[in-house]
mmCIF file of all heavy atoms in Angstrom:
data_model
loop_
_atom_site.group_PDB
_atom_site.id
_atom_site.type_symbol
_atom_site.label_atom_id
_atom_site.label_comp_id
_atom_site.label_asym_id
_atom_site.label_seq_id
_atom_site.Cartn_x
_atom_site.Cartn_y
_atom_site.Cartn_z
ATOM 1 N N ILE G 1 6.356 -12.457 -7.178
ATOM 2 C CA ILE G 1 7.330 -11.865 -6.255
ATOM 3 C C ILE G 1 7.477 -10.404 -6.635
ATOM 4 O O ILE G 1 8.134 -10.061 -7.619
ATOM 5 C CB ILE G 1 8.686 -12.590 -6.334
ATOM 6 C CG1 ILE G 1 8.498 -14.070 -6.029
ATOM 7 C CG2 ILE G 1 9.686 -11.971 -5.395
ATOM 8 C CD1 ILE G 1 9.756 -14.881 -6.144
ATOM 9 N N GLY G 2 6.857 -9.535 -5.865
ATOM 10 C CA GLY G 2 6.843 -8.116 -6.178
ATOM 11 C C GLY G 2 7.715 -7.302 -5.259
ATOM 12 O O GLY G 2 8.392 -7.809 -4.377
ATOM 13 N N THR G 3 7.697 -6.008 -5.489
ATOM 14 C CA THR G 3 8.519 -5.100 -4.701
ATOM 15 C C THR G 3 8.034 -4.998 -3.276
ATOM 16 O O THR G 3 8.818 -4.742 -2.363
ATOM 17 C CB THR G 3 8.502 -3.704 -5.357
ATOM 18 O OG1 THR G 3 8.876 -3.847 -6.736
ATOM 19 C CG2 THR G 3 9.482 -2.772 -4.676
ATOM 20 N N TYR G 4 6.763 -5.228 -3.038
ATOM 21 C CA TYR G 4 6.191 -4.986 -1.724
ATOM 22 C C TYR G 4 5.902 -6.274 -0.970
ATOM 23 O O TYR G 4 4.985 -6.356 -0.187
ATOM 24 C CB TYR G 4 4.925 -4.133 -1.865
ATOM 25 C CG TYR G 4 5.213 -2.823 -2.542
ATOM 26 C CD1 TYR G 4 4.917 -2.636 -3.882
ATOM 27 C CD2 TYR G 4 5.849 -1.803 -1.846
ATOM 28 C CE1 TYR G 4 5.224 -1.439 -4.504
ATOM 29 C CE2 TYR G 4 6.145 -0.605 -2.482
ATOM 30 C CZ TYR G 4 5.834 -0.433 -3.802
ATOM 31 O OH TYR G 4 6.130 0.746 -4.417
ATOM 32 N N GLY G 5 6.696 -7.286 -1.202
ATOM 33 C CA GLY G 5 6.605 -8.485 -0.386
ATOM 34 C C GLY G 5 5.303 -9.244 -0.535
ATOM 35 O O GLY G 5 4.856 -9.890 0.395
ATOM 36 N N GLY G 6 4.688 -9.181 -1.704
ATOM 37 C CA GLY G 6 3.499 -9.979 -1.936
ATOM 38 C C GLY G 6 2.232 -9.434 -1.328
ATOM 39 O O GLY G 6 1.224 -10.110 -1.303
ATOM 40 N N ALA G 7 2.244 -8.214 -0.796
ATOM 41 C CA ALA G 7 1.033 -7.657 -0.207
ATOM 42 C C ALA G 7 -0.009 -7.429 -1.282
ATOM 43 O O ALA G 7 0.265 -6.821 -2.307
ATOM 44 C CB ALA G 7 1.347 -6.344 0.509
ATOM 45 N N PHE G 8 -1.210 -7.926 -1.063
ATOM 46 C CA PHE G 8 -2.298 -7.760 -2.028
ATOM 47 C C PHE G 8 -3.068 -6.498 -1.661
ATOM 48 O O PHE G 8 -3.634 -6.390 -0.583
ATOM 49 C CB PHE G 8 -3.218 -8.966 -2.014
ATOM 50 C CG PHE G 8 -4.400 -8.817 -2.934
ATOM 51 C CD1 PHE G 8 -4.277 -9.051 -4.285
ATOM 52 C CD2 PHE G 8 -5.626 -8.426 -2.431
ATOM 53 C CE1 PHE G 8 -5.362 -8.901 -5.122
ATOM 54 C CE2 PHE G 8 -6.712 -8.275 -3.271
ATOM 55 C CZ PHE G 8 -6.570 -8.520 -4.620
ATOM 56 N N LEU G 9 -3.064 -5.541 -2.559
ATOM 57 C CA LEU G 9 -3.754 -4.285 -2.312
ATOM 58 C C LEU G 9 -4.690 -4.007 -3.470
ATOM 59 O O LEU G 9 -4.348 -4.247 -4.634
ATOM 60 C CB LEU G 9 -2.761 -3.123 -2.165
ATOM 61 C CG LEU G 9 -1.707 -3.297 -1.072
ATOM 62 C CD1 LEU G 9 -0.694 -2.176 -1.146
ATOM 63 C CD2 LEU G 9 -2.354 -3.338 0.296
ATOM 64 N N SER G 10 -5.874 -3.507 -3.138
ATOM 65 C CA SER G 10 -6.809 -3.146 -4.192
ATOM 66 C C SER G 10 -6.499 -1.747 -4.682
ATOM 67 O O SER G 10 -5.914 -0.940 -3.976
ATOM 68 C CB SER G 10 -8.246 -3.202 -3.659
ATOM 69 O OG SER G 10 -8.418 -2.304 -2.585
ATOM 70 N N GLY G 11 -6.893 -1.461 -5.880
ATOM 71 C CA GLY G 11 -6.639 -0.144 -6.432
ATOM 72 C C GLY G 11 -5.969 -0.262 -7.791
ATOM 73 O O GLY G 11 -5.894 -1.321 -8.404
ATOM 74 N N THR G 12 -5.471 0.854 -8.285
ATOM 75 C CA THR G 12 -4.842 0.905 -9.593
ATOM 76 C C THR G 12 -3.365 0.575 -9.474
ATOM 77 O O THR G 12 -2.671 1.100 -8.607
ATOM 78 C CB THR G 12 -5.023 2.303 -10.207
ATOM 79 O OG1 THR G 12 -6.420 2.616 -10.231
ATOM 80 C CG2 THR G 12 -4.490 2.341 -11.621
ATOM 81 N N ALA G 13 -2.868 -0.299 -10.307
ATOM 82 C CA ALA G 13 -1.452 -0.657 -10.314
ATOM 83 C C ALA G 13 -0.626 0.552 -10.781
ATOM 84 O O ALA G 13 -1.103 1.390 -11.548
ATOM 85 C CB ALA G 13 -1.223 -1.853 -11.223
ATOM 86 N N PRO G 14 0.620 0.702 -10.353
ATOM 87 C CA PRO G 14 1.347 -0.222 -9.482
ATOM 88 C C PRO G 14 0.935 -0.061 -8.025
ATOM 89 O O PRO G 14 0.634 1.039 -7.575
ATOM 90 C CB PRO G 14 2.809 0.188 -9.684
ATOM 91 C CG PRO G 14 2.737 1.636 -10.018
ATOM 92 C CD PRO G 14 1.462 1.813 -10.807
ATOM 93 N N PHE G 15 0.910 -1.176 -7.294
ATOM 94 C CA PHE G 15 0.507 -1.151 -5.910
ATOM 95 C C PHE G 15 1.637 -0.604 -5.045
ATOM 96 O O PHE G 15 2.807 -0.892 -5.278
ATOM 97 C CB PHE G 15 0.116 -2.552 -5.442
ATOM 98 C CG PHE G 15 -0.946 -3.178 -6.288
ATOM 99 C CD1 PHE G 15 -0.735 -4.392 -6.906
ATOM 100 C CD2 PHE G 15 -2.159 -2.546 -6.484
ATOM 101 C CE1 PHE G 15 -1.704 -4.968 -7.700
ATOM 102 C CE2 PHE G 15 -3.138 -3.111 -7.261
ATOM 103 C CZ PHE G 15 -2.913 -4.326 -7.880
ATOM 104 N N SER G 16 1.297 0.131 -4.032
ATOM 105 C CA SER G 16 2.274 0.692 -3.111
ATOM 106 C C SER G 16 1.798 0.413 -1.697
ATOM 107 O O SER G 16 0.805 0.982 -1.241
ATOM 108 C CB SER G 16 2.435 2.204 -3.341
ATOM 109 O OG SER G 16 3.272 2.761 -2.357
ATOM 110 N N TYR G 17 2.522 -0.455 -1.004
ATOM 111 C CA TYR G 17 2.156 -0.774 0.373
ATOM 112 C C TYR G 17 2.372 0.436 1.268
ATOM 113 O O TYR G 17 1.541 0.734 2.139
ATOM 114 C CB TYR G 17 2.989 -1.959 0.846
ATOM 115 C CG TYR G 17 2.798 -2.298 2.309
ATOM 116 C CD1 TYR G 17 1.620 -2.887 2.758
ATOM 117 C CD2 TYR G 17 3.790 -2.021 3.236
ATOM 118 C CE1 TYR G 17 1.437 -3.189 4.092
ATOM 119 C CE2 TYR G 17 3.619 -2.319 4.576
ATOM 120 C CZ TYR G 17 2.442 -2.911 4.997
ATOM 121 O OH TYR G 17 2.275 -3.203 6.327
ATOM 122 N N GLU G 18 3.474 1.148 1.078
ATOM 123 C CA GLU G 18 3.758 2.316 1.915
ATOM 124 C C GLU G 18 2.690 3.390 1.741
ATOM 125 O O GLU G 18 2.249 4.004 2.719
ATOM 126 C CB GLU G 18 5.134 2.879 1.583
ATOM 127 C CG GLU G 18 6.297 1.966 1.963
ATOM 128 C CD GLU G 18 7.633 2.620 1.730
ATOM 129 O OE1 GLU G 18 7.639 3.798 1.301
ATOM 130 O OE2 GLU G 18 8.669 1.972 1.958
ATOM 131 N N ALA G 19 2.259 3.628 0.507
ATOM 132 C CA ALA G 19 1.219 4.632 0.274
ATOM 133 C C ALA G 19 -0.098 4.210 0.901
ATOM 134 O O ALA G 19 -0.817 5.040 1.473
ATOM 135 C CB ALA G 19 1.044 4.868 -1.226
ATOM 136 N N SER G 20 -0.433 2.926 0.822
ATOM 137 C CA SER G 20 -1.676 2.447 1.419
ATOM 138 C C SER G 20 -1.630 2.524 2.940
ATOM 139 O O SER G 20 -2.618 2.884 3.576
ATOM 140 C CB SER G 20 -1.946 1.009 0.968
ATOM 141 O OG SER G 20 -2.112 0.943 -0.430
ATOM 142 N N VAL G 21 -0.477 2.195 3.531
ATOM 143 C CA VAL G 21 -0.342 2.316 4.975
ATOM 144 C C VAL G 21 -0.428 3.773 5.404
ATOM 145 O O VAL G 21 -1.035 4.109 6.431
ATOM 146 C CB VAL G 21 0.995 1.689 5.437
ATOM 147 C CG1 VAL G 21 1.298 2.056 6.873
ATOM 148 C CG2 VAL G 21 0.939 0.178 5.297
ATOM 149 N N ARG G 22 0.153 4.656 4.607
ATOM 150 C CA ARG G 22 0.098 6.082 4.940
ATOM 151 C C ARG G 22 -1.336 6.591 4.916
ATOM 152 O O ARG G 22 -1.753 7.361 5.787
ATOM 153 C CB ARG G 22 0.961 6.877 3.961
ATOM 154 C CG ARG G 22 1.130 8.352 4.333
ATOM 155 C CD ARG G 22 2.000 9.078 3.325
ATOM 156 N NE ARG G 22 3.276 8.420 3.155
ATOM 157 C CZ ARG G 22 3.631 7.766 2.054
ATOM 158 N NH1 ARG G 22 2.777 7.694 1.027
ATOM 159 N NH2 ARG G 22 4.802 7.197 1.961
ATOM 160 N N GLU G 23 -2.112 6.155 3.931
ATOM 161 C CA GLU G 23 -3.497 6.621 3.825
ATOM 162 C C GLU G 23 -4.389 5.986 4.885
ATOM 163 O O GLU G 23 -5.272 6.640 5.435
ATOM 164 C CB GLU G 23 -4.041 6.311 2.429
ATOM 165 C CG GLU G 23 -5.457 6.829 2.205
ATOM 166 C CD GLU G 23 -5.934 6.626 0.786
ATOM 167 O OE1 GLU G 23 -5.176 6.021 -0.008
ATOM 168 O OE2 GLU G 23 -7.050 7.062 0.470
ATOM 169 N N ALA G 24 -4.165 4.696 5.179
ATOM 170 C CA ALA G 24 -5.057 3.986 6.094
ATOM 171 C C ALA G 24 -4.650 4.143 7.544
ATOM 172 O O ALA G 24 -5.493 4.373 8.409
ATOM 173 C CB ALA G 24 -5.096 2.497 5.730
ATOM 174 N N TYR G 25 -3.353 4.015 7.841
ATOM 175 C CA TYR G 25 -2.919 4.019 9.241
ATOM 176 C C TYR G 25 -2.499 5.406 9.714
ATOM 177 O O TYR G 25 -2.837 5.818 10.817
ATOM 178 C CB TYR G 25 -1.755 3.044 9.424
ATOM 179 C CG TYR G 25 -1.380 2.820 10.864
ATOM 180 C CD1 TYR G 25 -2.070 1.890 11.640
ATOM 181 C CD2 TYR G 25 -0.344 3.524 11.452
ATOM 182 C CE1 TYR G 25 -1.734 1.680 12.968
ATOM 183 C CE2 TYR G 25 -0.007 3.326 12.778
ATOM 184 C CZ TYR G 25 -0.694 2.399 13.528
ATOM 185 O OH TYR G 25 -0.375 2.210 14.848
ATOM 186 N N VAL G 26 -1.778 6.140 8.883
ATOM 187 C CA VAL G 26 -1.259 7.446 9.296
ATOM 188 C C VAL G 26 -2.339 8.514 9.230
ATOM 189 O O VAL G 26 -2.434 9.368 10.120
ATOM 190 C CB VAL G 26 -0.044 7.840 8.430
ATOM 191 C CG1 VAL G 26 0.482 9.215 8.824
ATOM 192 C CG2 VAL G 26 1.061 6.795 8.552
ATOM 193 N N GLU G 27 -3.181 8.476 8.194
ATOM 194 C CA GLU G 27 -4.124 9.565 7.959
ATOM 195 C C GLU G 27 -5.560 9.226 8.327
ATOM 196 O O GLU G 27 -6.423 10.099 8.225
ATOM 197 C CB GLU G 27 -4.068 9.980 6.479
ATOM 198 C CG GLU G 27 -2.698 10.462 6.025
ATOM 199 C CD GLU G 27 -2.662 10.809 4.559
ATOM 200 O OE1 GLU G 27 -3.712 10.650 3.898
ATOM 201 O OE2 GLU G 27 -1.605 11.219 4.057
ATOM 202 N N ASN G 28 -5.834 8.011 8.740
ATOM 203 C CA ASN G 28 -7.208 7.618 9.059
ATOM 204 C C ASN G 28 -7.286 7.192 10.514
ATOM 205 O O ASN G 28 -6.644 6.207 10.918
ATOM 206 C CB ASN G 28 -7.679 6.481 8.141
ATOM 207 C CG ASN G 28 -9.160 6.208 8.274
ATOM 208 O OD1 ASN G 28 -9.588 5.494 9.171
ATOM 209 N ND2 ASN G 28 -9.958 6.788 7.382
#
């Protein structure tokens, strides 16, 4: 049970759902 509602994200911990959405959806 994590801060980001269990979202599984690849990359270096700590995982950030908002940062990943910003990079993938907002900037791509």
Side-chain angles (χ1 to χ4, degrees):
I1 302 177
T3 307
Y4 302 101
F8 177 81
L9 303 173
S10 60
T12 305
F15 305 123
S16 174
Y17 174 72
E18 293 185 2
S20 298
V21 168
R22 188 180 305 110
E23 183 175 3
Y25 189 84
V26 178
E27 300 178 359
N28 190 277

